[in-house]
Amino acid sequence: DLSPAITLDTAGYPELEQAIRDQCTEQKLVYHPPWVLKLIQLFETQRVRHGMMALGPSGAGKTVCIHVLMKAMSQCGSFTKEMRMNPKAITSPQMFGRLDVATNDWTD
């Protein structure tokens, strides 16, 4: 740590955390605080990015995490939309966009 004497304030999302708890109960999932922390981190990531990818081995819970977060956000009144893409069906520039080096413009 660069500054061991400083403690970081954790951003609180009590409404979202309650909605996650409700979704866990509704879907008969175990409310596990480290897992909920990952959902909060996913929420914070999607707030500052226009898109994201969930990567990991089969059975790791990627789909459950995304769906629980989407339903919790909807419960809190936030609009959510999931768009799945098959990376083998489209080219990399179609999926990620591309930079025109002549004009330095980004195209989605």
Side-chain angles (χ1 to χ4, degrees):
D1 286 339
L2 295 175
S3 304
I6 297 175
T7 57
L8 295 175
D9 293 333
T10 57
Y13 304 99
E15 184 180 1
L16 180 63
E17 290 176 21
Q18 183 58 47
I20 290 170
R21 184 180 299 274
D22 294 345
Q23 289 303 316
C24 287
T25 302
E26 183 179 311
Q27 297 182 32
K28 296 180 177 36
L29 299 170
V30 175
Y31 185 86
H32 187 59
W35 184 72
V36 173
L37 176 62
K38 292 298 176 190
L39 288 177
I40 298 297
Q41 291 170 348
L42 184 63
F43 170 72
E44 290 176 338
T45 299
Q46 67 88 29
R47 286 183 63 192
V48 296
R49 303 280 183 233
H50 71 276
M52 63 178 199
M53 290 182 245
L55 305 173
S58 298
K62 301 176 296 290
T63 301
V64 173
C65 285
I66 291 168
H67 288 168
V68 166
L69 180 60
M70 286 177 64
K71 288 180 180 181
M73 289 174 62
S74 295
Q75 184 177 329
C76 293
S78 296
F79 173 75
T80 59
K81 183 177 181 180
E82 178 184 23
M83 294 178 55
R84 290 180 174 246
M85 295 185 286
N86 181 353
K88 296 177 182 176
I90 59 178
T91 64
S92 291
Q94 288 173 320
M95 185 181 297
F96 303 113
R98 64 182 172 84
L99 180 66
D100 185 343
V101 292
T103 62
N104 208 27
D105 286 335
W106 185 263
T107 305
D108 288 331

